[in-house]
Amino acid sequence: MLLAACDGGLWNNPYPAADHGQPIFYTAFTERPKHLDPAQAYSENEYEFLAQIYQPPLQYHYLKHPYTLVPQAAGEMPRIIYLDKSNQPLPDDAPAEQVAFSVYEIHLRQGLKYQPHPAFARDAQGKPEYFALTTNDLQDIYALNDFPHSGTREVKAADYVYQIKRLAHPAIHSPIAGLMADYIVGLKEYAATLQQAQKAHPDAFLDLHDYPLEGAQALDDTTYRIKVYGKYPQFAYWLAMPFFAPMPVEADRFYAQDGMRERNLTLDWWPVGSGPYYLSENNPNQRMVLSRNPNFSGETYPAEGDPGDQEAGLLADAGKPLPQIDKVVFTLEKETIPYWNKFLQGYYDASGISSDSFDQAVQVNVGGEANVTDSMRAQGITLSTSVATSTFYMGFNWLDPVVGGDTERARKLRRAIAIAMDFEEFISIFANGRGIAAQSPIPPGIFGYRESEAGINHYVYDWVNGAPKRKSIEEAKKLLAEAGYPNGLDEKTKQPLVIYLDTTANGVGNKSRLDWLRKQFEKLNLQLVARSTDYNRFQDKVRKGDTQMFYYGWNADYPDPENFLFLLHGAQARVGKGGENASNYSNPEFDRLFGQMKNMPNGAERQKIIDEMLEILRRDTPWLWGHHPKDYVLQHSWLHNSKPNKLANNKLKYLRIDAEQRDELRQQWNQPLLWPLWLGGIALGLMGWWLWRALRRREEGR
């Protein structure tokens, strides 16, 4: 061990020596992403990868607030053409009731190319090299790097059209297929056409280019059009999501070959994109690596931002080509303590703050302003905070015979539980005050959210002395008795009511949270049984409706109330329709109002309808509204250009690392303490000498 210290290396460095001095961003993930196919992925941990790999036509400006859409793969913002029922053009200011169709015309910028991939490899005759593989050919193939050749090609408008068609593919089960079928012209009928085609030829490759779609058409190699029903201004937000990124038919055909899926050679494991990075290593039990796409070009760091960004150094790299980091290494960390310790040692470049580490990292002054502690400041660590456009909630399964359904009995049971569930206490204990109790699905910063008394859930809170106050537990018990469960006992069977909660909270650190949840139910003499499972199994149970209650969250896809209220739209039910309404909530009046509200511009009329919708939701209580979190992120001094932006998922390309400074500080912070080894060695030597002397005396005494 002493000799190992002589080479100057760090004993606790978890990374290869070859990474020394390289512009690599180090971060962590806690669970394997289930989907990396952009037609299927819809979770935050999946977008953490996909947003770096794929290039939709639009993106959010990294530095500007409020959130602003700007071109990404598109050369300019889409041109929107409004048409009447006869497909005749209308003026741009035409009333919504006159608009039968909206056509989004998108022009791609020059120079878009895909990452190197064997699907694009060609032989000497110019034919695809890997499109007729046999089982024997795949015998020693387990990753893309095992293929000796790869290739690339330019991104074409037809690739964007192909991806839109994939949303209706019968084998993909896209989570937005139902929603987009209501908007993209002909997509619903297109899905039926593909189902018939697959049924007629179940073993044949389904080339979507062979089946035209009225709502998505390529005009030439760089221009395509998307035709949607009516006037839907929120559609532009969807164009910033991976669902609308390009997909080459070569990738689909490559992965459709026999034997590929058995070796995890699929789009869900090895995506094919044109973004700044590609997935070069996928070992979800250890680490996942994004490497710079050598074919990416054409994007530069933004030259303008919010007031104060110039002074904060966020515009120092204006005009520089992106990305600025060559590689992103994600390491699996299932527990918060190892993650935190590695961050303090400089082996992670940024970190969130767990409740266990909050007091060590953050101090809050008398004015409520948070900043880093002196020990963090001494290491050059800084803190950034932002209110998340997110909602964490506990949902009731509307299909469950006990807690679900549109009956007064079930409503009173749900309201009683809502009153007992003290989310203010939850935020104080488990989030160190980083959040606010939710009054509805809509978080602050999104149109429709109301402050003060106008925004409270009056079924759960009273307005007292200028602040919301949770109703008493006695009122909750009264509701429970009226629901047929006096003192928590079923009035028919006289047995305690047992509620089952499905959750992914199965780690050691989550035990205290589950204990807290049980205590909330015990206030009503109800028994809560937590059924913990991994994330993928949990998703399967929600999709099949095999839950009673569940804990869930939603991060805004785009900054509009429709993106939160659609989570409770009946047409978006998870069971049977594959939508994002995980509670399977259904209320005809709510659905009618949603149809009115969703395409309206923000204004007093839209706010009035939203207020009516929220009143229905608060009365029915399909969710325990939970809380809206506040994000606290720590970062080291060598990480530059980091700015909170909840909707810009592709932010890694903007970051810059001072690798020299990082290596220098790592060296300072991780020097081994050698004196215990020397002391132990001396003690061991003395003990050996004493033992030798004792044995020698014994021998001489003979």
Side-chain angles (χ1 to χ4, degrees):
M1 292 176 67
L2 291 173
L3 290 174
C6 296
D7 65 357
L10 299 175
W11 295 5
N12 64 344
N13 190 345
Y15 308 120
D19 289 352
H20 184 84
Q22 299 300 311
I24 300 172
F25 180 71
Y26 295 101
T27 184
F29 68 105
T30 58
E31 194 159 9
R32 177 181 77 84
K34 183 177 182 180
H35 294 297
L36 292 177
D37 181 340
Q40 290 184 281
Y42 211 5
S43 295
E44 183 178 16
N45 70 326
E46 296 164 344
Y47 272 36
E48 193 171 9
F49 295 92
L50 288 188
Q52 328 308 326
I53 296 170
Y54 287 100
Q55 271 193 301
L58 304 181
Q59 63 185 336
Y60 290 93
H61 195 289
Y62 180 55
L63 300 178
K64 285 186 177 181
H65 293 85
Y67 300 109
T68 305
L69 286 174
V70 295
Q72 183 175 193
E76 58 192 21
M77 292 299 291
R79 177 190 173 206
I80 305 175
I81 306 166
Y82 298 120
L83 305 175
D84 63 16
K85 292 181 180 179
S86 302
N87 285 307
Q88 296 302 308
L90 292 170
D92 292 345
D93 58 353
E97 57 269 18
Q98 294 182 15
V99 178
F101 307 103
S102 300
V103 177
Y104 289 74
E105 186 171 289
I106 300 165
H107 299 273
L108 302 178
R109 62 181 173 85
Q110 299 295 321
L112 298 175
K113 278 192 171 184
Y114 288 108
Q115 66 183 71
H117 194 277
F120 302 118
R122 300 272 172 170
D123 60 20
Q125 288 73 41
K127 296 180 180 179
E129 188 170 357
Y130 299 120
F131 278 12
L133 298 174
T134 65
T135 304
N136 289 336
D137 294 331
L138 294 173
Q139 190 170 5
D140 297 320
I141 302 292
Y142 299 97
L144 294 185
N145 292 335
D146 294 332
F147 289 95
H149 302 125
S150 65
T152 185
R153 72 162 170 84
E154 289 190 358
V155 178
K156 297 181 179 180
D159 300 334
Y160 285 87
V161 172
Y162 191 86
Q163 170 65 2
I164 294 171
K165 292 178 177 180
R166 293 183 75 245
L167 301 179
H169 198 295
I172 289 179
H173 308 295
S174 174
I176 68 164
L179 179 65
M180 287 298 113
D182 292 336
Y183 289 116
I184 298 177
V185 174
L187 192 63
K188 187 176 296 184
E189 296 77 10
Y190 191 74
T193 298
L194 295 184
Q195 284 181 341
Q196 292 175 1
Q198 189 177 60
K199 192 173 182 180
H201 305 283
D203 298 326
F205 172 71
L206 196 60
D207 188 340
L208 306 185
H209 285 316
D210 296 337
Y211 302 89
L213 171 63
E214 181 183 355
Q217 297 181 4
L219 305 185
D220 53 43
D221 282 351
T222 60
T223 309
Y224 67 104
R225 285 180 173 176
I226 306 174
K227 187 178 182 181
V228 301
Y229 294 110
K231 203 170 188 177
Y232 182 36
Q234 291 84 10
F235 187 72
Y237 295 125
W238 288 100
L239 297 179
M241 299 176 66
F243 292 115
F244 290 86
M247 179 58 62
V249 65
E250 294 95 329
D252 234 0
R253 188 181 294 276
F254 175 80
Y255 287 126
Q257 297 178 89
D258 291 340
M260 289 287 194
R261 183 168 296 276
E262 290 75 14
R263 290 167 170 76
N264 282 327
L265 295 172
T266 66
L267 278 170
D268 265 342
W269 202 272
W270 297 106
V272 185
S274 59
Y277 296 100
Y278 70 96
L279 189 63
S280 58
E281 182 178 337
N282 188 356
N283 180 1
N285 295 319
Q286 184 175 359
R287 75 175 201 163
M288 300 173 71
V289 177
L290 295 174
S291 296
R292 178 197 288 266
N293 176 6
N295 302 322
F296 178 82
S297 64
E299 274 202 80
T300 58
Y301 192 89
E304 56 183 0
D306 290 335
D309 283 351
Q310 180 76 52
E311 294 76 8
L314 288 168
L315 294 175
D317 292 326
K320 292 184 179 179
L322 299 178
Q324 302 200 84
I325 291 172
D326 287 345
K327 186 186 292 185
V328 184
V329 176
F330 296 82
T331 304
L332 179 65
E333 294 285 3
K334 292 188 175 182
E335 300 294 337
T336 58
I337 298 302
Y339 190 174
W340 177 247
N341 288 336
K342 289 178 185 176
F343 169 72
L344 294 181
Q345 293 165 343
Y347 294 125
Y348 288 129
D349 299 313
S351 173
I353 311 173
S354 68
S355 296
D356 294 336
S357 307
F358 188 83
D359 291 337
Q360 181 184 355
V362 175
Q363 56 187 8
V364 181
N365 61 25
V366 292
E369 183 180 352
N371 210 330
V372 294
T373 59
D374 292 340
S375 60
M376 296 292 107
R377 190 176 295 108
Q379 284 190 260
I381 295 171
T382 56
L383 171 70
S384 63
T385 64
S386 61
V387 178
T389 51
S390 306
T391 298
F392 290 101
Y393 64 92
M394 292 178 68
F396 296 99
N397 182 6
W398 205 250
L399 304 178
D400 183 80
V402 177
V403 301
D406 185 25
T407 65
E408 193 62 22
R409 176 202 63 78
R411 271 195 290 270
K412 288 183 176 181
L413 171 60
R414 293 191 295 265
R415 282 185 214 156
I417 296 173
I419 293 171
M421 191 66 61
D422 191 344
F423 280 104
E424 288 82 4
E425 183 180 89
F426 178 90
I427 294 166
S428 175
I429 295 174
F430 298 106
N432 305 98
R434 292 172 288 175
I436 60 172
Q439 306 291 335
S440 79
I442 302 176
I446 302 295
F447 182 84
Y449 178 85
R450 283 192 180 273
E451 301 279 357
S452 303
E453 186 175 4
I456 72 164
N457 179 0
H458 60 88
Y459 292 98
V460 176
Y461 292 88
D462 295 316
W463 189 256
V464 180
N465 297 325
K469 182 180 179 181
R470 188 173 291 272
K471 293 180 183 292
S472 67
I473 199 67
E474 286 72 26
E475 189 159 349
K477 289 180 177 179
K478 180 182 176 182
L479 287 168
L480 191 65
E482 293 173 359
Y485 303 99
N487 198 32
L489 301 176
D490 189 316
E491 59 185 2
K492 295 180 181 178
T493 65
K494 307 303 180 184
Q495 296 298 312
L497 178 61
V498 179
I499 304 293
Y500 294 93
L501 172 71
D502 282 281
T503 174
T504 59
N506 52 14
V508 176
N510 290 304
K511 182 181 182 302
S512 57
R513 296 192 182 202
L514 295 177
D515 289 342
W516 180 87
L517 286 171
R518 294 186 185 97
K519 289 179 181 178
Q520 305 308 298
F521 279 77
E522 287 171 2
K523 296 176 186 177
L524 301 175
N525 201 32
L526 300 178
Q527 296 182 20
L528 179 70
V529 176
R531 300 186 293 200
S532 298
T533 184
D534 63 65
Y535 182 73
N536 293 334
R537 172 62 180 147
F538 171 76
Q539 290 279 51
D540 289 338
K541 294 184 75 172
V542 172
R543 187 177 66 252
K544 295 174 182 176
D546 294 337
T547 62
Q548 191 170 56
M549 289 187 69
F550 56 90
Y551 192 81
Y552 231 38
W554 183 261
N555 300 316
D557 292 318
Y558 47 84
D560 191 271
E562 184 249 3
N563 190 233
F564 287 89
L565 295 175
F566 96 111
L567 298 172
L568 292 154
H569 186 213
Q572 281 293 308
R574 183 67 60 89
V575 175
K577 298 176 182 176
E580 289 302 319
N581 179 357
S583 289
N584 304 297
Y585 173 67
S586 178
N587 183 299
E589 179 62 12
F590 177 87
D591 291 347
R592 183 186 70 81
L593 292 171
F594 179 83
Q596 285 183 250
M597 178 280 307
K598 61 180 181 179
N599 295 338
M600 293 176 67
N602 292 340
E605 187 178 353
R606 195 182 199 206
Q607 181 67 66
K608 182 176 181 296
I609 295 175
I610 291 173
D611 290 342
E612 293 179 34
M613 296 173 70
L614 296 184
E615 171 62 22
I616 293 171
L617 292 178
R618 289 162 177 159
R619 182 197 69 207
D620 286 352
T621 320
W623 293 358
L624 303 181
W625 303 113
H627 73 288
H628 309 299
K630 294 180 180 178
D631 292 334
Y632 283 45
V633 177
L634 298 171
Q635 62 187 46
H636 284 292
S637 56
W638 57 73
L639 178 62
H640 301 279
N641 300 335
S642 178
K643 182 180 181 179
N645 189 321
K646 294 302 295 182
L647 295 180
N649 296 306
N650 59 346
K651 58 189 176 184
L652 294 182
K653 63 186 177 184
Y654 301 103
L655 301 181
R656 175 168 54 84
I657 293 286
D658 186 338
E660 184 177 343
Q661 181 190 6
R662 177 172 62 189
D663 290 338
E664 182 180 334
L665 290 175
R666 280 181 181 174
Q667 195 73 28
Q668 293 178 17
W669 297 343
N670 295 280
Q671 285 300 314
L673 295 176
L674 298 180
W675 65 263
L677 293 177
W678 286 110
L679 186 61
I682 293 171
L684 188 63
L686 290 174
M687 183 177 294
W689 177 80
W690 176 83
L691 183 61
W692 175 78
R693 291 282 296 174
L695 290 173
R696 186 170 181 179
R697 286 196 186 102
R698 179 178 296 182
E699 290 294 328
E700 290 175 350
R702 288 181 180 178

